[in-house]
């Protein structure tokens, strides 16, 4: 007989960067484990230092980091954490990105532009990640940017079920804020049994986040409209879409989005908007300035924890989201 047989068992280890430790702690609690103790700090010139205080040798390691602001710092910290685990002889390394930074830059619109979403995937692979796990990627094609398995998690079931508890389905109309979200809005429509409307918007090609005009395609008069999107950044587009719905006779508007990026003027726009409720998940930390009665945050931790368990136990992540693609 050649070789050596061991009786060792698999070992799951969960690590968190400093971007959104609250979510990582929730995931650890769902899994019935604790985060691996980590020493991390910034040098005076901004360089990041990371050292894990427990062994990772032979372990299946899951590294959580949500790419919130300052986004470049937290991406770099995750890369450094992955590199440290690779050099610590981890058995496998899964990078968990509740929010995937640079996901909007997934294709070239003009000449001499980068495809930054692909660059982030390449960096994670080069650092040593064997697998990616992300929630509601901006476009599904990003899964093909990473040379390895990608687990794409969806917040739609949780968000849609919450909205269904707030408004009777027969009063609802699901609204896509632009042509790019129609497929997702159609899935919402199927799940809630509600009709679909679309906002056709024209953007200023020379000014980011600026919409020049918006028109509603579909009947929204007297309806409660749920505007669905993957992320809300400055909230200019979504608030303008809500105004267009009210101008077309909508009785009320609810906004549901997975990622509350909420940069710059977003806080003031949400406060001053006629939208009755904004529903997000906690893939990103919610700024203190947005702790408003009209802002509801649902926890994505159970979904991430369930996916981690399926990966660790060689199960099926797809089975967690049957009917959502």
């Amino acid at each position: 007989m050649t070789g050596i047989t061991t009786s060792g068992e698999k070992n799951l280890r969960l690590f968190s960067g400093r971007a959104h430790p609250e979510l990582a702690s929730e995931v650890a609690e769902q899994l019935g484990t604790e985060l691996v103790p980590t020493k991390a700090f910034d040098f005076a010139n901004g360089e990041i230092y990371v050292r894990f205080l427990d062994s990772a040798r032979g372990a299946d390691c899951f590294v959580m980091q949500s790419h919130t602001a300052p986004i470049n710092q937290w991406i770099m910290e995750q890369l450094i954490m992955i590199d440290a685990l690779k050099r610590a002889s981890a058995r496998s390394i899964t990078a968990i990105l509740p929010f995937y930074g640079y996901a909007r830059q997934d294709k070239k619109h003009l000449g001499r532009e980068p495809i930054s979403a692909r660059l982030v995937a390449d960096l994670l692979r080069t650092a040593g990640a064997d697998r990616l796990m992300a929630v509601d990627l901006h476009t599904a094609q990003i899964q093909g940017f990473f040379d390895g398995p990608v687990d794409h998690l969806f917040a739609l079931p949780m968000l849609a079920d919450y909205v269904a508890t707030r408004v009777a389905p027969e009063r609802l109309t699901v609204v896509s804020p632009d042509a790019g979200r129609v497929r997702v809005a159609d899935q919402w429509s199927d799940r809630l049994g509600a009709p679909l409307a679309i906002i056709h918007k024209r953007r200023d090609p020379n000014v980011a986040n600026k919409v020049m005009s918006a028109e509603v395609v579909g009947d929204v008069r007297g309806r409660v409209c749920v505007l669905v999107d993957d992320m809300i950044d400055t909230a200019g587009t979504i608030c303008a879409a809500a105004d267009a719905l009210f101008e077309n006779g909508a009785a009320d508007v609810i906004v549901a989005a997975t990622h509350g990026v909420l940069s710059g003027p977003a806080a003031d726009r949400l406060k001053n908007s006629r939208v009755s409720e904004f529903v997000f998940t906690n893939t990103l930390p919610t700024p203190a300035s947005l702790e408003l009665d009209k802002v509801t945050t649902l926890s994505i931790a159970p979904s991430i924890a369930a996916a981690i368990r399926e990966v660790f136990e060689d199960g099926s992540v797809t089975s967690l989201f049957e009917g959502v693609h």
Side-chain angles (χ1 to χ4, degrees):
M1 177 179 176
T2 59
I4 299 174
T5 302
T6 66
S7 59
E9 296 183 354
K10 293 174 68 176
N11 180 17
L12 186 157
R13 309 287 271 163
L14 182 62
F15 303 81
S16 172
R18 293 174 292 167
H20 194 4
E22 297 83 6
L23 175 57
S25 295
E26 282 189 54
V27 172
E29 184 177 351
Q30 290 282 330
L31 288 169
T33 186
E34 296 181 357
L35 296 172
V36 173
T38 304
K39 179 180 181 181
F41 61 85
D42 299 333
F43 288 105
N45 68 345
E47 291 181 9
I48 298 168
Y49 174 86
V50 173
R51 180 174 182 265
F52 303 117
L53 304 183
D54 281 353
S55 173
R57 184 178 297 275
D60 292 302
C61 299
F62 295 81
V63 186
M64 284 192 65
Q65 184 82 303
S66 199
H67 298 166
T68 185
I71 189 167
N72 298 323
Q73 177 179 2
W74 300 135
I75 290 175
M76 189 66 194
E77 182 174 90
Q78 188 172 31
L79 295 171
I80 291 171
M81 294 172 71
I82 292 168
D83 182 77
L85 289 171
K86 177 178 67 176
R87 299 175 191 282
S89 302
R91 178 177 178 270
S92 69
I93 303 172
T94 299
I96 304 176
L97 291 63
F99 176 72
Y100 187 117
Y102 289 90
R104 283 174 287 188
Q105 299 183 45
D106 62 325
K107 57 183 173 293
K108 293 178 66 171
H109 296 278
L110 301 170
R112 299 177 299 282
E113 283 186 339
I115 303 179
S116 304
R118 170 61 190 265
L119 174 61
V120 170
D122 287 344
L123 289 169
L124 290 163
R125 185 63 166 171
T126 300
D130 303 299
R131 186 184 199 103
L132 292 191
M133 186 180 293
V135 181
D136 280 341
L137 292 166
H138 188 61
T139 54
Q141 72 189 40
I142 294 173
Q143 295 176 81
F145 292 172
F146 183 76
D147 188 17
V150 177
D151 298 304
H152 192 190
L153 315 186
F154 301 94
L156 188 157
M158 178 175 63
L159 290 169
D161 290 351
Y162 173 81
V163 170
T165 66
R166 304 288 287 174
V167 185
E170 59 269 18
R171 297 182 59 212
L172 275 174
T173 293
V174 176
V175 183
S176 172
D178 55 38
R181 297 291 109 190
V182 170
R183 185 179 179 189
V184 173
D186 194 42
Q187 292 168 345
W188 274 77
S189 179
D190 289 343
R191 190 174 185 92
L192 293 174
L196 177 66
I198 302 166
I199 294 180
H200 177 63
K201 62 187 181 184
R202 299 183 184 278
R203 289 185 178 273
D204 186 336
N206 299 313
V207 182
N209 300 309
K210 184 176 180 181
V211 175
M212 299 173 67
S213 64
E215 60 180 273
V216 179
V217 180
D219 184 18
V220 299
R221 187 167 299 278
R223 309 282 293 176
V224 177
C225 296
V226 53
L227 265 169
V228 298
D229 211 343
D230 65 320
M231 71 174 76
I232 295 177
D233 191 353
T234 62
T237 297
I238 208 76
C239 289
D243 289 341
L245 292 172
F246 282 118
E247 289 168 6
N248 280 265
D252 195 9
V253 177
I254 296 171
V255 171
T258 305
H259 310 296
V261 182
L262 307 174
S263 307
D268 288 337
R269 286 173 173 166
L270 265 60
K271 289 175 185 176
N272 299 326
S273 171
R274 294 171 63 189
V275 173
S276 63
E277 186 174 14
F278 291 88
V279 187
F280 304 110
T281 74
N282 62 343
T283 56
L284 292 164
T286 302
S289 60
L290 276 167
E291 293 178 356
L292 312 171
D293 290 340
K294 65 163 64 176
V295 176
T296 300
T297 304
L298 307 178
S299 179
I300 198 71
S303 295
I304 294 176
I308 289 173
R309 192 175 298 280
E310 290 295 332
V311 170
F312 179 64
E313 296 177 353
D314 298 323
S316 171
V317 174
T318 303
S319 65
L320 301 174
F321 304 98
E322 292 292 353
V324 182
H325 300 288

